[in-house]
């Protein structure tokens, strides 16, 4: 399988992919999300879209287990119970959308992701956040869950709608990071099953995903060390900066694919 992978993408691409995944893990460790956004935009710069999507699946899945359970199973369970509706909406929508990746063109995939993430980015740049009344309303939770599920189903990019909603809800840093890890893990577990059947995760892309686990973990370990030393204000600002950069890069990839 490794020979097949090397013949398909070459050793140079493998080294570049490891560097991209280390960076993606670092960013995720710092802000609690964005591994798929960094990975899919970075890997997609020199690999086909299906390789980029498949390559991030296992690293993202395993790093989210680490993130979701970092404060222990009890804290994770309490968080899921508190945010059960949002969690269910995201996972169900991911299950409905993911099969379309196998039949979607590379340019259309990146364009949809770019437009969507950049839209959330512009909201951040404008300083707009949902009002307290909007956040308390169930419609906001449904919208956040549906949009997160759509982008999560397309390329595991579940973060921006969830992050925007949680930032507006003034969720504490530890709970926000834990909830993101749990939701992302459940969605990714479903994606792994679906893409094992659609062919996106196959004998060539599967080994790539396995090989990228180690650099993702190394980057995340360093990122968590940084996050533990951040206050709430700095964490919020770092999250917004990541949204801006990732959104514009995905849009660039969609337009110039």
């Amino acid at each position: 399988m490794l020979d097949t992978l090397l013949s398909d993408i070459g050793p140079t691409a493998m080294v570049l992919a490891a560097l991209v995944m280390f960076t993606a893990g670092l960013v995720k460790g710092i802000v609690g999300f964005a591994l798929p956004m960094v990975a899919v935009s970075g890997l997609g710069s020199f690999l086909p879209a299906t390789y980029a999507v498949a390559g991030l699946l296992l690293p993202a899945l395993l790093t989210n287990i680490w993130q979701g359970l970092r404060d222990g199973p009890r804290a994770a369970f309490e968080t899921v119970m508190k945010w059960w509706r949002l969690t269910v909406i995201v996972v169900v929508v991911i299950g409905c959308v993911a099969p379309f990746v196998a039949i979607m063109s590379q340019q259309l995939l990146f364009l949809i992701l770019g437009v969507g993430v950049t839209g959330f980015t512009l909201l951040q740049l404008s300083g707009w956040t949902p009002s307290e009344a909007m956040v308390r309303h169930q419609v906001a939770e449904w919208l956040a869950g549906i949009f997160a599920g759509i982008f999560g189903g397309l390329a595991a990019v579940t973060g921006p709608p969830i992050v925007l909603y949680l930032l507006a809800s003034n969720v504490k840093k530890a709970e926000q990071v834990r909830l993101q890890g749990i939701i992302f893990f459940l969605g990714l577990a479903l994606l792994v099953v679906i893409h094992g059947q659609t062919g996106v995760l196959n004998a060539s892309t599967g080994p790539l995903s396995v090989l990228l686990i180690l650099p993702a973990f190394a980057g995340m370990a360093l990122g968590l060390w940084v996050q533990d030393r951040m206050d709430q204000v700095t964490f919020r600002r770092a999250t917004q900066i990541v949204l801006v950069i990732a959104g514009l890069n995905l849009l660039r990839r969609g337009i110039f694919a």
Side-chain angles (χ1 to χ4, degrees):
M1 289 185 181
L2 183 57
D3 291 340
T4 302
L5 175 62
L6 288 174
S7 65
D8 285 345
I9 68 173
T12 301
M14 275 300 311
V15 173
L16 290 175
L19 291 174
V20 168
M21 192 56 70
F22 176 84
T23 303
L26 175 65
V27 173
K28 179 176 178 58
I30 294 173
V31 299
F33 78 106
L35 185 151
M37 283 194 297
V38 174
V40 79
S41 57
L43 296 175
S45 298
F46 54 89
L47 293 175
T50 52
Y51 274 81
V53 172
L56 67 86
L57 286 178
L58 295 181
L61 179 72
L62 295 177
T63 52
N64 278 308
I65 295 176
W66 182 4
Q67 179 176 320
L69 295 177
R70 194 173 182 226
D71 297 321
R74 181 175 180 179
F77 178 77
E78 291 173 351
T79 296
V80 170
M81 290 298 97
K82 181 178 179 180
W83 298 93
W84 67 269
R85 185 184 296 107
L86 180 63
T87 303
V88 170
I89 294 169
V90 173
V91 173
V92 169
V93 176
I94 284 176
C96 295
V97 172
F100 290 98
V101 173
I103 60 174
M104 189 176 292
S105 73
Q106 175 173 306
Q107 185 169 13
L108 180 60
L109 175 62
F110 281 122
L111 193 58
I112 291 173
L113 290 170
V115 169
V117 175
T118 302
F120 291 108
T121 298
L122 292 176
L123 290 177
Q124 290 291 307
L125 287 172
S126 69
W128 180 89
T129 56
S131 67
E132 188 175 340
M134 289 176 64
V135 170
R136 285 200 306 265
H137 202 287
Q138 286 187 8
V139 172
E141 188 174 30
W142 274 89
L143 288 175
I146 289 171
F147 278 109
I150 291 172
F151 295 122
L154 290 176
V157 183
T158 314
I162 297 295
V163 171
L164 183 62
Y165 177 72
L166 295 178
L167 286 176
S169 302
N170 290 316
V171 179
K172 296 297 182 183
K173 180 181 73 170
E175 183 175 13
Q176 177 176 332
V177 170
R178 183 166 58 249
L179 176 61
Q180 289 166 191
I182 294 168
I183 291 178
F184 300 164
F185 162 71
L186 293 173
L188 282 159
L190 182 58
L191 281 177
V192 169
V193 173
I194 290 173
H195 287 319
Q197 298 183 7
T198 62
V200 171
L201 196 61
N202 54 44
S204 184
T205 60
L208 174 64
S209 197
V210 172
L211 289 172
L212 293 181
I213 292 172
L214 183 58
F217 267 68
M220 186 171 172
L222 178 59
L224 286 171
W225 183 86
V226 175
Q227 185 207 118
D228 287 341
R229 288 153 180 80
M230 273 187 181
D231 59 30
Q232 185 78 16
V233 174
T234 306
F235 171 76
R236 185 184 183 95
R237 178 56 59 188
T239 300
Q240 292 170 332
I241 291 171
V242 170
L243 281 171
V244 170
I245 296 172
L248 292 177
N249 191 43
L250 281 168
L251 185 60
R252 175 199 62 80
R253 186 70 179 93
I255 293 174
F256 297 106

